[in-house]
Amino acid sequence: MPFDVVSIIGLGYIGLPTAAAFAARRKKVIGVDVSQRAVDTINKGEIHIVEPELDMLVHAAVTQGYLRATQTPEPADAFLIAVPTPFCDGNKPDLSYIEAASRSIAPALKKGDIVVLESTSPVGATEKMSAWLAECRPDLTFPQHSGEQSDIRIAHCPERVLPGHVIRELVQNDRVIGGMTRRCGELARELYQIFVQGDCILTDARTAEMCKLSENAFRDINIAYANELSMICDRLDINVWELIRLANRHPRVSILQPGPGVGGHCIAVDPWFIVDSAPEEAKLIRAARGVNDGKPHYVIDQTKRLAARFKAPVIACLGLAFKANIDDLRESPAIDIVNQLADEKVADIVVVEPNVSVLPDALRGKVELTSLASAIEAADIVLLLVDHREFKDINRRRLQSKLLVDTRGLFA
Ligand code: SAJ
């Protein structure tokens, strides 16, 4: 039977749930991560990230002997690479994690194995991965040289799950599978059908890469539209939340929600991969990035204008995560906003983030992490940055004497 052993390289927000999904289907899974802390935590049956239901799945997988984590790659029948693809200076994609992961698994490869790149990647990355592997293993053949007959099969299958709903979406979402050859795609489809209930649709690797980038750029452009509307409505003294509710009554209109900016490691990053590869053509995609990256500065200016009304203002900043009900602080506009307000000494700042117990490095020593009740009690200005469920229950009467900057429309 093919795929007796599956290895997942990178045990983060995507890799760990994927490892757990294979293990739940009684596949032997070897999880590989460079972090000793992540490896130790997982081998205890615990998790190092916050994602609903993941703890139960990982605990079951480890205690039943289906999942084991290690820092060193071992032989397997299928290797899935799920490492970060950030951008470096100049908004250029940084493929160094993919390269390091590829080189690390190369010694463990044997004839007949498949390697799938799951990380969101610029067009051409899967071909590069194949070339790195080929360079490390001249004794094996790879698709770009020997086509259908290669020893190792290579494919790209971008993850599409929404943080906070990963376990459900991992199983239910359709998957786009880009094989370096038709046979590579077919084999990858067999692999994913072990746990995916959605359709697994075959294409080539470059189209699969572009498909994932296009999905996230689509969302970025639509959020930019909502953010731009929010600023236009401020100028025209119109409640943007009511406006969007009304416009969305049209059967073919579905405007997204404005916010303090776009965060996370996907939507704020991936459109740049398209811009980088086609700078002349990608005008709209670049403009949307500009609008969304500009929104935190707009919120900072709004807050500063209110703070100037007080002698010694206290601002309660509600939320640091990049979106509601998660602990993920990566690329969070809320952190940039709090950081700049603190650096400019606009006010004394207290912060509430129910999903973390310590402040991120960027804010340590500059602001105080406190409870919701005491933050609101102390505040002259309440700056709502994330629509966490805990904030929805705030007693509106306690806000009556405060000035509000509600970037998420929670109190609208
Ligand atoms: N946001 C808004 N207004 C909205 C929706 C989102 O301001 O109406 C903000 C959020 O607050 C957050 C950012 O956008 O700061 C991104 O959040 P998100 O929920 O739109 O997306 P992510 O980054 O959590 O996940 C996205 C998803 N992509 C799409 O929906 C097209 C997910 O399916 C992808 O798998 C994921 O990127 C990824 O890993 O690429």
Side-chain angles (χ1 to χ4, degrees):
M1 164 137 185
F3 314 129
D4 288 330
V5 183
V6 179
S7 183
I8 316 285
I9 321 300
L11 297 172
Y13 284 86
I14 302 302
L16 185 55
T18 305
F22 276 111
R25 295 279 176 231
R26 298 173 183 274
K27 289 288 163 194
K28 187 176 169 203
V29 182
I30 301 169
V32 183
D33 202 286
V34 288
S35 157
Q36 183 68 53
R37 189 178 79 87
V39 166
D40 291 344
T41 308
I42 293 162
N43 283 336
K44 277 190 266 168
E46 294 166 11
I47 58 175
H48 57 295
I49 51 180
V50 172
E51 179 61 42
E53 295 172 51
L54 182 63
D55 50 350
M56 276 162 10
L57 279 180
V58 169
H59 187 260
V62 172
T63 50
Q64 290 164 16
Y66 290 108
L67 172 62
R68 178 170 57 79
T70 167
Q71 283 186 293
T72 318
E74 296 173 18
D77 305 308
F79 293 84
L80 274 70
I81 296 187
V83 295
T85 37
F87 52 35
C88 35
D89 289 349
N91 297 326
K92 294 208 155 302
D94 172 5
L95 299 187
S96 59
Y97 294 89
I98 298 181
E99 181 173 358
S102 309
R103 294 190 188 280
S104 80
I105 61 166
L109 290 179
K110 62 182 184 314
K111 190 174 172 172
D113 287 354
I114 182 165
V115 183
V116 182
L117 179 61
E118 277 229 6
S119 313
T120 303
S121 300
V123 173
T126 310
E127 290 156 13
K128 283 192 177 139
M129 179 183 81
S130 181
W132 288 317
L133 291 169
E135 199 183 298
C136 297
R137 289 299 299 271
D139 54 320
L140 293 168
T141 59
F142 290 80
Q144 71 247 72
H145 301 119
S146 51
E148 297 292 338
Q149 300 307 320
S150 63
D151 293 335
I152 303 294
R153 308 286 168 43
I154 305 275
H156 178 53
C157 181
E159 60 81 16
R160 300 165 118 180
V161 288
L162 195 66
H165 303 268
V166 168
I167 302 303
R168 175 174 49 82
E169 291 210 351
L170 206 52
V171 172
Q172 291 179 359
N173 287 2
D174 293 344
R175 298 294 293 244
V176 173
I177 297 179
M180 289 262 303
T181 65
R182 180 85 196 167
R183 182 71 196 114
C184 293
E186 284 166 356
L187 204 67
R189 179 165 58 189
E190 262 181 64
L191 176 66
Y192 280 92
Q193 279 172 340
I194 292 172
F195 71 86
V196 172
Q197 288 167 8
D199 291 339
C200 293
I201 305 136
L202 296 192
T203 182
D204 58 78
R206 292 173 72 84
T207 307
E209 289 162 343
M210 189 60 187
C211 184
K212 169 64 197 245
L213 301 180
S214 310
E215 292 160 14
N216 280 354
F218 172 86
R219 194 155 169 86
D220 196 45
I221 290 168
N222 282 281
I223 298 169
Y225 181 60
N227 277 333
E228 189 163 291
L229 274 182
S230 74
M231 295 183 278
I232 294 169
C233 284
D234 280 352
R235 179 172 291 269
L236 302 180
D237 202 17
I238 290 168
N239 179 329
V240 70
W241 315 101
E242 184 193 3
L243 173 90
I244 291 174
R245 273 197 302 274
L246 296 174
N248 285 350
R249 292 287 187 112
H250 185 288
R252 284 172 297 284
V253 173
S254 181
I255 302 171
L256 293 178
Q257 297 298 299
V262 166
H265 37 288
C266 310
I267 307 253
V269 175
D270 303 349
W272 288 117
F273 294 179
I274 303 179
V275 174
D276 181 63
S277 58
E280 306 254 305
E281 293 80 7
K283 295 191 184 73
L284 178 62
I285 296 172
R286 189 203 306 266
R289 280 281 70 243
V291 170
N292 286 334
D293 278 351
K295 192 68 195 290
H297 304 291
Y298 180 83
V299 173
I300 289 165
D301 289 344
Q302 248 183 333
T303 312
K304 278 164 71 176
R305 278 198 299 277
L306 294 186
R309 298 188 197 172
F310 297 86
K311 267 207 174 113
V314 176
I315 303 178
C317 296
L318 307 189
L320 289 179
F322 85 83
K323 65 177 190 175
N325 307 323
I326 56 168
D327 72 330
D328 195 338
L329 307 183
R330 288 178 293 175
E331 319 276 342
S332 175
I335 293 186
D336 294 342
I337 291 168
V338 174
N339 206 7
Q340 191 166 330
L341 291 172
D343 282 349
E344 291 189 26
K345 304 206 184 318
V346 169
D348 273 349
I349 297 176
V350 288
V351 170
V352 184
E353 176 44 78
N355 299 299
V356 302
S357 51
V358 286
L359 282 169
D361 289 348
L363 299 180
R364 220 163 282 162
K366 295 185 186 176
V367 301
E368 192 194 333
L369 186 66
T370 181
S371 71
L372 181 58
S374 58
I376 292 185
E377 174 74 34
D380 301 303
I381 299 168
V382 174
L383 171 55
L384 187 286
L385 293 166
V386 188
D387 44 341
H388 288 316
R389 61 174 74 87
E390 290 83 352
F391 303 152
K392 290 190 179 145
D393 301 332
I394 295 174
N395 185 338
R396 301 298 144 92
R397 277 206 312 260
R398 292 173 57 207
L399 296 175
Q400 266 165 7
S401 60
K402 320 283 176 188
L403 295 182
L404 276 183
V405 182
D406 180 3
T407 69
R408 300 279 184 175
L410 200 69
F411 308 125

